[in-house]
Amino acid sequence: MSARQLRIRNAQDLIEGLTSPEVSVRLAVLGATGRNPQAALAYGAHEGRDVIDTLIEQATLAQGTSLWDAFAGVLSAFDDPRAEAFFREVLAEAEEPKRLILAEAYLSQRDVAPLRDLLSTMLLQSQSAPRARTAARLLTSCGPHSPEESIRMALVLELGEWTPPALDQTTAPHWISELQGPFDREARDLLETQGESAFQLLIGHWDAFSEENKEWLLRWGSRLSSPEVEVLLRRALDSGQDTLMLVALECLAERGGPSEDLAEALHRLVQHPNPAIRLAAIRAGAQGIDWREMLAREADRGIRRECISRLAQEEGARALDDLVQLLENEEWDLRAAATSALIGLGSAVIPAMRRLVEHPAEGVRVAAVRVLVELGDDLWLEEKLIT
């Protein structure tokens, strides 16, 4: 039988069409069944199987293919305990979002109370966002909900779709558990919406947090300008964990430098073996550094560039000779840093730069010309070059 010759007169024709070896025939019969499911059901059974039995059988055989979607889609038009059992099984096992959506659409029109335990397990134990989200949507009509369920529902549903219980001493264990789970990013986002009070409660659990969550707390506390973050910054700087120390130093830089209580720890980190930490400590506002001495002994070029900038900022014109000498350095990036620092010193450097326009080293001449151009000494340069 071909799709063109298709004629359904009884249950036998229907079932033979649904199980035809020709895909085009099966799809044609599926289309007719979907348009009029009650008429298909009214044909009754053939050899002990009716249309619902056949749809379930064929969907099962078509697992992993696009035909599954076609058979299951038509099956969803039937309000029947067998179809409900099929979609419960789909709900329990499926990972693909499309199948979960189909199961959810079918089951949401029915009493989901018998599925309460399954849905709770899906919600709380699944590492899959689509599975957890499907369970959450079905559970919204199936209360009451435990604090653990309600928090997870808020994490996996759209923002504002479900209101979780606020962080307090009772709910704290559940929130902290979520910070270490598959939806940790969503948990952090929702906790931040709860403001200073949530931050204050969480800092008491510092030791229980992963390094990632400690970094988040440091950044959040700094954004809040919370005085309590000073304690966390101290602990982070003393932690011995490079990544955590770097985050603490970045926070201090954003806050405009250390308090007196943290100044000593910051100065100590300028001697740290990790150059990234030494540089971050400088940028965070470490005090009492001899920039000339550090520039002479430091091997890391990033730190040397920072030393050049700081030397110019702190000493102004007194650093002129050092900066001019650096224009002869073999490293282009250090020459560039010295050039930028000289421009920053303003018109006081113009006489020295004019003398360097005739320096024997090309790199020095180029730097001097650039400084003069940036400082608006173009007219002198034009006259000098013409003559």
Side-chain angles (χ1 to χ4, degrees):
M1 178 173 60
S2 68
R4 288 185 177 181
Q5 300 169 328
L6 184 62
R7 186 177 178 187
I8 300 173
R9 296 161 297 187
N10 51 44
Q12 181 177 352
D13 290 342
L14 176 62
I15 291 171
E16 286 179 353
L18 290 171
T19 59
S20 170
E22 294 186 36
V23 173
S24 60
V25 172
R26 278 186 281 175
L27 292 175
V29 177
L30 278 169
T33 303
R35 288 190 294 272
N36 197 344
Q38 293 310 310
L41 192 60
Y43 281 126
H46 172 66
E47 296 183 350
R49 292 184 301 166
D50 66 1
V51 63
I52 295 176
D53 295 323
T54 306
L55 288 170
I56 292 172
E57 172 193 79
Q58 292 301 305
T60 303
L61 292 173
Q63 284 282 3
T65 73
S66 58
L67 276 176
W68 185 96
D69 301 325
F71 281 107
V74 173
L75 181 63
S76 68
F78 293 89
D79 185 7
D80 187 276
R82 291 168 293 171
E84 184 172 347
F86 173 85
F87 284 111
R88 286 187 183 187
E89 187 174 340
V90 173
L91 181 72
E93 298 178 359
E95 296 288 343
E96 304 92 329
K98 185 163 54 174
R99 298 190 179 192
L100 288 166
I101 289 170
L102 188 58
E104 178 192 343
Y106 187 90
L107 295 171
S108 63
Q109 303 303 312
R110 287 148 185 87
D111 180 15
V112 296
L115 300 174
R116 182 86 174 60
D117 290 345
L118 169 63
L119 293 172
S120 181
T121 299
M122 276 180 65
L123 175 71
L124 298 177
Q125 296 183 14
S126 179
Q127 302 290 309
S128 161
R131 284 185 58 77
R133 191 173 298 116
T134 297
R137 283 194 290 255
L138 289 170
L139 275 172
T140 56
S141 62
C142 200
H145 305 96
S146 69
E148 185 180 16
E149 289 173 336
S150 194
I151 292 169
R152 176 62 65 88
M153 289 167 71
L155 298 185
V156 299
L157 293 173
E158 294 297 324
L159 184 64
E161 194 175 346
W162 188 262
T163 303
L167 175 69
D168 57 28
Q169 294 295 345
T170 302
T171 62
H174 304 302
W175 279 107
I176 292 170
S177 176
E178 291 292 0
L179 287 171
Q180 301 170 58
F183 305 103
D184 53 340
R185 180 179 58 81
E186 292 83 356
R188 289 191 285 269
D189 289 345
L190 279 183
L191 283 166
E192 286 195 26
T193 66
Q194 299 183 42
E196 177 84 22
S197 61
F199 174 77
Q200 294 287 347
L201 194 152
L202 287 174
I203 61 177
H205 299 272
W206 172 265
D207 290 331
F209 289 133
S210 65
E211 185 170 332
E212 183 180 8
N213 282 319
K214 289 176 179 177
E215 293 168 14
W216 163 66
L217 271 182
L218 289 174
R219 291 191 171 101
W220 182 20
S222 293
R223 289 195 301 271
L224 289 171
S225 298
S226 171
E228 299 296 332
V229 80
E230 285 276 321
V231 177
L232 300 187
L233 289 169
R234 161 67 73 175
R235 296 182 70 173
L237 294 176
D238 292 340
S239 68
Q241 297 172 294
D242 284 11
T243 304
L244 192 58
M245 288 190 287
L246 283 170
V247 171
L249 291 167
E250 289 169 10
C251 291
L252 283 171
E254 291 168 2
R255 287 161 61 89
S259 64
E260 289 185 13
D261 292 338
L262 295 177
E264 182 181 346
L266 205 60
H267 187 77
R268 185 176 66 252
L269 291 177
V270 174
Q271 311 300 324
H272 196 277
N274 184 338
I277 290 177
R278 295 200 299 275
L279 180 59
I282 292 170
R283 290 176 174 171
Q287 301 297 315
I289 299 173
D290 183 333
W291 299 113
R292 287 185 180 83
E293 186 272 335
M294 191 171 196
L295 182 60
R297 66 173 168 78
E298 178 60 57
D300 184 84
R301 284 162 60 176
I303 297 176
R304 296 188 73 190
R305 291 194 299 270
E306 191 71 20
C307 289
I308 292 168
S309 175
R310 295 307 178 96
L311 178 63
Q313 289 174 20
E314 291 190 11
E315 297 199 11
R318 298 196 310 276
L320 180 58
D321 290 343
D322 301 274
L323 297 174
V324 169
Q325 185 177 355
L326 283 163
L327 294 179
E328 300 184 50
N329 195 280
E330 295 179 354
E331 305 295 347
W332 70 268
D333 57 331
L334 299 184
R335 294 197 305 272
T339 301
S340 296
L342 285 163
I343 293 169
L345 293 181
S347 59
V349 305
I350 288 178
M353 294 301 101
R354 286 179 174 179
R355 290 192 295 272
L356 293 179
V357 167
E358 296 181 348
H359 195 279
E362 181 183 7
V364 176
R365 294 197 303 272
V366 170
V369 168
R370 183 189 164 199
V371 173
L372 291 172
V373 169
E374 292 290 337
L375 295 178
D377 202 28
D378 309 62
L379 183 59
W380 181 89
L381 275 173
E382 290 176 10
E383 292 176 351
K384 179 69 176 175
L385 293 173
I386 292 171
T387 57

